[in-house]
Amino acid sequence: MSYITTKDGTEIFYKDWGPKDAQAIVFHHGWPLSADDWDNQMMFFLGQGFRVIAHDRRGHGRSTQTDTGNEMDTYAADVAELAEKLDLKNAIHVGHSTGGGEVVHYVARSKPGRVSKAVIIGAVPPIMVKSENNPGGLPIEVFDGFRAALIANRAQFFRDVPAGPFYGFNRAGAEVSEGVIQNWWRQGMMGGAKAHYDCIKAFSETDFTEDLKKIELPVLVMHGDDDQIVPYADSAPLSAKLLKKGTLKTYPGLPHGMCTTHPDVINADLLAFFKGSS
């Protein structure tokens, strides 16, 4: 398996498939998952001739179970070290949920020439938690509930989330996949409890407003309007409005985990954006 070791000694696991001279797509996973959450997209875009890369965020998956640095500044710095190690140029960065925040935070700070486009899917920007400046956000008590559930019984919490709201399996008529639920649980339980606990603050309380304003590159903002994890109204439309070259694409009825439940739809739209002139 492939790892880089960051400046603070953290080992970051990554996959790097395909021709090294092809355009690279870098995938950033959601909380509390791993690079494996991108299996559908990695296989599809590998078949389309791209170089596909995905890493396990620190504290997640096969990377070091860190007890420090579990916040967005360090997540973005880790991505910068990975991009430098692999000498990525004009890469496309795609992030889901927490990974969308990581993409925005990284791209806003990236060296010229490293990134050409970005995509955020069901993503946490501009900011999730409710405040005076974000009246449409979720109350802090929601995230306190996540923390309490994680401490009380992480294994059961990580079973309940995918079985319910994450994939919309709690909706009437949903086609429930036990394999998808178990794969979510497997990925989650590979990571570290302390890192997962800290990451709840990172994805809910980090304000990405200034990052979004800084980005000059084309960014596709994809979001299902039945997202029960990152509510649509307080996320995607606001992010697209803050971006200089943001394009909003809304998916009626699709859930938070739509990359897994509807890969044919998502992959086709990603491919069109990647091959488009902007």
Side-chain angles (χ1 to χ4, degrees):
M1 293 197 287
S2 298
Y3 291 85
I4 63 162
T5 302
T6 66
K7 292 173 183 172
D8 71 353
T10 299
E11 291 190 313
I12 302 291
F13 168 81
Y14 68 94
K15 308 176 190 183
D16 182 3
W17 301 342
K20 300 302 178 274
D21 58 349
Q23 184 168 27
I25 307 170
V26 184
F27 293 97
H28 304 243
H29 63 79
W31 175 92
L33 301 172
S34 74
D36 294 355
D37 198 43
W38 291 109
D39 281 353
N40 282 323
Q41 285 69 42
M42 295 273 286
M43 292 299 291
F44 176 80
F45 287 103
L46 183 65
Q48 293 291 326
F50 289 90
R51 177 183 180 183
V52 291
I53 298 164
H55 68 292
D56 291 354
R57 184 175 304 117
R58 65 171 52 216
H60 295 65
R62 288 141 291 204
S63 294
T64 302
Q65 294 199 9
T66 45
D67 63 347
T68 59
N70 302 310
E71 32 70 25
M72 282 292 166
D73 285 351
T74 304
Y75 294 161
D78 290 346
V79 175
E81 289 198 53
L82 179 64
E84 185 172 345
K85 165 74 175 179
L86 300 181
D87 194 24
L88 301 181
K89 297 181 176 69
N90 296 315
I92 302 167
H93 286 256
V94 181
H96 174 242
S97 195
T98 299
E102 184 178 276
V103 165
V104 165
H105 214 55
Y106 164 68
V107 172
R109 291 159 176 73
S110 61
K111 292 181 179 178
R114 289 281 188 215
V115 183
S116 63
K117 294 181 178 179
V119 182
I120 57 175
I121 307 172
V124 297
I127 180 171
M128 286 192 78
V129 72
K130 184 176 183 178
S131 67
E132 187 174 325
N133 294 329
N134 184 38
L138 295 173
I140 189 70
E141 289 79 11
V142 170
F143 305 108
D144 289 341
F146 287 179
R147 283 182 273 262
L150 189 152
I151 288 174
N153 189 339
R154 184 166 66 121
Q156 186 61 53
F157 182 39
F158 284 6
R159 178 67 174 72
D160 293 342
V161 172
F166 195 93
Y167 295 112
F169 289 163
N170 56 346
R171 296 302 199 203
E175 188 176 338
V176 177
S177 168
E178 184 61 29
V180 166
I181 295 169
Q182 290 187 16
N183 189 39
W184 200 101
W185 183 91
R186 175 190 68 83
Q187 292 177 66
M189 295 307 293
M190 287 170 67
K194 177 64 165 64
H196 288 163
Y197 184 92
D198 293 348
C199 190
I200 294 171
K201 181 179 179 68
F203 74 65
S204 64
E205 297 184 40
T206 303
D207 188 346
F208 300 96
T209 299
E210 295 307 313
D211 293 330
L212 292 161
K213 290 179 180 177
K214 284 180 190 172
I215 296 174
E216 305 277 353
L217 304 166
V219 181
L220 178 61
V221 182
M222 307 167 74
H223 214 111
D225 71 0
D226 193 31
D227 191 323
Q228 301 173 69
I229 302 295
V230 181
Y232 173 82
D234 195 58
S235 54
L238 304 182
S239 291
K241 192 174 180 180
L242 289 165
L243 288 159
K244 292 183 176 66
K245 296 180 182 177
T247 300
L248 174 63
K249 191 166 182 63
T250 304
Y251 296 84
L254 293 198
H256 187 63
M258 62 185 186
C259 296
T260 298
T261 58
H262 296 79
D264 292 347
V265 174
I266 300 306
N267 291 348
D269 287 348
L270 285 173
L271 183 62
F273 177 68
F274 297 165
K275 293 193 171 181
S277 57
S278 62

